[in-house]
Amino acid sequence: MIKLGGSVITDKTRYKTLRTDVLARLAGEIKSSGKDVILVHGAGSYGHIIAAENELQKGYLRDSQITAASQVMEDVKNLDLDVTKCFNGAGMPCVSLPPSAITKLQSGKLNELDCEVFKEYLDIGIMPVTFGDVCLDSERKFGICSGDQLMMRLAEHFKPEVTIFCTDVDGVYTSDPYSNDDAELIKVITQDVLNKLPRTQHCADVTGSIFKKIEHMLNIAEYSKAMVINGLVPGRLKAALCNEEVIGSRVECCNERN
Ligand code: IPE
């Protein structure tokens, strides 16, 4: 299972800016690995900007959010269409499974997701693709379903050989690598390491900080080899998929995997 983070496939600072070249290269790396993949992608600047302006992650607060929610759903579907076009064009047949249609949250947490539909597509050689989206929430009317929540649920169900998160940095650092020159890459992350990390990193994302992501990954590590790598560096995704040594952060849960 792979998540292409929004910071990799889009320029997160500029509304609806796709990194077409990066996306095409990553599609090529996935194809040439020869692996069966479930693909999840983030929303990047197609989702976070409008979602944050309108506090969509809090659920229904006021009527003006409804137009914003529907705008984000349109924008992330457009992003997803570009993603699926790219993979189809690269010779990897794929299908889009939008969370707004197939999932339901309960107080912001992913509740309903039919994993069988992913399996049925995989079985006929079509790669399922899903993504961070706005979707229904049984308590708050609507909410944001992050790609990381989808990864967690799908990993629990499918127990993939490897679960890879592609971001725009080499992995998880001791502090924000963009603002601290002395930030060090953490090669192995465990619950203990997470507990000791300073909670100072700034985060503009509506779906949470790096800490939330690591918590999801610690859960995933119970079922699958889990890692964070840099999707902007050519070759790393393919190497990770092919079980080769790659610069990044491995996430290890305390319990032994069987
Ligand atoms: C965000 O999904 C979804 C919306 C803001 C609509 P993600 O949390 O998975 O996206 P990225 O990877 O951070 O961009």
Side-chain angles (χ1 to χ4, degrees), residues 11 116 160 197:
D11 176 346
E116 272 313 295
L197 279 180

Side-chain angles (χ1 to χ4, degrees), residues 228-254:
V228 187
I229 60 161
N230 194 334
L232 296 177
V233 179
R236 290 212 185 146
L237 177 56
K238 185 176 175 195
L241 280 169
C242 297
N243 217 6
E244 289 165 16
E245 250 336 277
V246 61
I247 294 170
S249 301
R250 266 293 295 270
V251 182
E252 307 262 0
C253 74
C254 318

Side-chain angles (χ1 to χ4, degrees), residues 88-205:
N88 277 322
M92 285 196 78
C94 60
V95 59
S96 171
L97 301 171
S100 58
I102 61 161
T103 64
K104 202 156 184 184
L105 304 174
Q106 186 175 18
S107 300
K109 290 209 170 66
L110 180 52
N111 189 21
E112 292 167 27
L113 177 68
D114 177 9
C115 294
E116 272 313 295
V117 65
F118 287 78
K119 178 164 180 348
E120 285 184 38
Y121 278 114
L122 271 177
D123 286 349
I124 55 173
I126 294 182
M127 176 176 75
V129 180
T130 190
F131 50 91
D133 200 356
V134 172
C135 65
L136 292 169
D137 188 307
S138 56
E139 307 290 325
R140 303 175 180 173
K141 298 190 180 174
F142 62 80
I144 302 274
C145 176
S146 72
D148 292 356
Q149 282 188 298
L150 292 159
M151 289 289 278
M152 203 169 83
R153 177 62 62 84
L154 290 164
E156 188 182 344
H157 186 88
F158 288 101
K159 302 181 174 49
E161 184 188 322
V162 58
T163 302
I164 304 169
F165 286 77
C166 293
T167 65
D168 61 342
V169 288
D170 282 353
V172 178
Y173 284 79
T174 48
S175 57
D176 185 348
Y178 283 116
S179 48
N180 296 306
D181 288 343
D182 55 358
E184 281 171 40
L185 181 68
I186 307 171
K187 291 196 175 142
V188 180
I189 303 162
T190 58
Q191 186 66 53
D192 271 2
V193 174
L194 175 64
N195 295 344
K196 286 181 195 137
L197 279 180
R199 307 266 151 166
T200 50
Q201 294 189 26
H202 169 74
C203 178
D205 279 16

Side-chain angles (χ1 to χ4, degrees), residues 4 7 19 25 37 60-61 75 86-87 110 116 134 138 143:
L4 301 180
S7 59
R19 289 186 168 144
R25 176 181 51 74
V37 166
Y60 178 82
L61 301 171
D75 290 346
C86 177
F87 278 87
L110 180 52
E116 272 313 295
V134 172
S138 56

Side-chain angles (χ1 to χ4, degrees), residues 3-10 12 40-49 51-52 56 72-73 76 79 131-134 143-150 166 205-208 213:
K3 181 181 176 202
L4 301 180
S7 59
V8 178
I9 58 170
T10 79
K12 271 186 112 163
V40 176
H41 64 81
S45 56
Y46 290 66
H48 283 284
I49 297 173
L56 299 185
V72 171
M73 287 191 270
V76 293
L79 168 63
F131 50 91
D133 200 356
V134 172
I144 302 274
C145 176
S146 72
D148 292 356
Q149 282 188 298
L150 292 159
C166 293
D205 279 16
V206 292
T207 46
K213 182 186 274 297

